[in-house]
């Protein structure tokens, strides 16, 4: 299970609080991604980054923010502006330069009450 | 942008039978089609992928077929086993940026 890690596995927060999810990879991949998965649904892209200090919004970026200060790290902040933050969050990474497999982290299950 | 539709959403088969999951995509520029398997509470893991210069690819009991003209691709699992029970996702992307668009997933249940 090495290569890409996420912490914590489970996270509980009160409504109105910001929370940051960690994602680290030692695969030397240039590209990193954040997805949200809701029960019984597919993966939806929140943000992605192809290079340090640069990132782009995905399909559902509202209420989320990211940073990419280091190649190996891509933390995601779920802000209080996210209307329905309870979900399973998956981080992934891949090499650049053509169609390549994305490697997923183990995920963080966030519950906001 | 790309849109990927996946069917069926649930599939129940008897152990030993075959299972087929189908996906359609909208962007004719897409040229990479991976399939991921996700067990309950776990991370998705790549099980097979195909690129648009190939019509079919096999890996033991798993095969994927691609019809570029019709813009659909399918996952075939033969001789299913209980450990094949999971959610399967198809995805599509084109080279630029390696962006994947996922289908909605298929929950496969293999009954012993």
């Amino acid at each position: 299970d090495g290569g890409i890690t996420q912490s914590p596995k489970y996270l509980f927060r009160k409504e109105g609080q910001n929370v940051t999810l960690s994602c680290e990879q030692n695969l030397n991949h240039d590209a990193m991604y954040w997805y949200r998965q809701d029960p019984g649904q597919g993966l939806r892209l929140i943000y992605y980054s192809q290079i340090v200090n640069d990132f782009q919004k995905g399909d559902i970026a509202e209420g989320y923010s990211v940073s990419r200060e280091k190649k190996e790290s891509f933390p995601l902040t779920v802000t209080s502006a996210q209307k329905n933050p309870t979900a399973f969050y998956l981080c992934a990474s891949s090499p650049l330069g053509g169609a390549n497999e994305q490697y997923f982290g183990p995920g963080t299950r966030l519950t906001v009450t | 942008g790309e849109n990927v539709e996946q069917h069926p959403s649930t599939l129940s088969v008897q152990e030993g039978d075959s299972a087929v999951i189908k996906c359609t995509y909208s962007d004719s520029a897409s040229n990479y089609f991976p399939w991921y398997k996700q067990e309950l509470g776990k991370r998705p893991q790549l099980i097979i992928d195909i690129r648009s210069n190939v019509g079919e690819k096999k890996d033991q009991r798993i095969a994927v077929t691609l019809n570029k003209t019709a813009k659909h691709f399918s996952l075939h699992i033969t001789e299913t086993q209980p450990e094949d029970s999971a959610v399967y996702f198809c995805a599509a992307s084109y080279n630029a940026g390696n962006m994947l668009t996922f289908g909605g997933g298929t929950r496969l249940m293999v009954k012993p």
Side-chain angles (χ1 to χ4, degrees):
Chain A
D1 276 0
I4 180 163
T5 58
Q6 292 183 242
S7 61
K9 188 171 182 178
Y10 299 97
L11 193 51
F12 298 88
R13 280 293 184 269
K14 294 289 187 186
E15 196 173 317
Q17 293 179 334
N18 291 356
V19 59
T20 297
L21 282 58
S22 167
C23 178
E24 304 277 332
Q25 54 98 1
N26 62 3
L27 301 168
N28 199 33
H29 287 167
D30 289 299
M32 296 187 74
Y33 314 82
W34 274 105
Y35 293 93
R36 171 184 171 134
Q37 186 174 30
D38 292 286
Q41 296 191 30
L43 283 70
R44 292 183 291 169
L45 183 66
I46 304 172
Y47 267 98
Y48 65 99
S49 169
Q50 297 179 343
I51 194 170
V52 172
N53 292 323
D54 188 49
F55 45 83
Q56 285 77 41
K57 293 181 179 180
D59 300 323
I60 55 166
E62 186 174 349
Y64 300 97
S65 66
V66 293
S67 63
R68 188 84 186 277
E69 297 177 1
K70 299 185 296 182
K71 185 176 183 178
E72 57 270 23
S73 178
F74 191 41
L76 172 75
T77 297
V78 184
T79 76
S80 56
Q82 168 51 231
K83 296 276 188 280
N84 185 19
T86 295
F88 188 48
Y89 290 87
L90 286 158
C91 179
S93 70
S94 75
L96 278 182
N100 291 296
E101 175 183 357
Q102 288 188 14
Y103 295 80
F104 284 86
T108 292
R109 188 166 299 281
L110 173 64
T111 302
V112 177
T113 57
Chain B
E2 174 68 279
N3 182 49
V4 178
E5 303 265 348
Q6 183 171 346
H7 298 280
S9 56
T10 59
L11 179 59
S12 181
V13 300
Q14 208 65 38
E15 182 177 359
D17 288 350
S18 295
V20 180
I21 303 170
K22 299 182 179 180
C23 289
T24 59
Y25 61 98
S26 61
D27 190 343
S28 56
S30 289
N31 59 5
Y32 175 62
F33 307 93
W35 286 89
Y36 285 83
K37 175 183 180 182
Q38 186 181 30
E39 296 178 359
L40 190 63
K42 301 287 183 65
R43 72 185 82 193
Q45 293 193 300
L46 183 75
I47 54 171
I48 195 167
D49 56 13
I50 191 168
R51 287 171 169 76
S52 59
N53 58 347
V54 175
E56 183 175 1
K57 184 176 179 181
K58 287 184 180 180
D59 183 3
Q60 299 181 351
R61 297 187 295 109
I62 294 172
V64 57
T65 58
L66 171 64
N67 184 327
K68 286 176 58 180
T69 303
K71 290 190 283 188
H72 67 69
F73 55 112
S74 300
L75 177 71
H76 305 253
I77 306 174
T78 59
E79 301 172 27
T80 53
Q81 301 166 3
E83 51 265 39
D84 293 330
S85 296
V87 179
Y88 291 81
F89 292 98
C90 64
S93 86
Y94 55 97
N95 278 345
N98 196 33
M99 304 308 304
L100 286 178
T101 300
F102 285 85
T106 297
R107 181 173 299 279
L108 174 64
M109 294 170 284
V110 180
K111 300 177 189 174

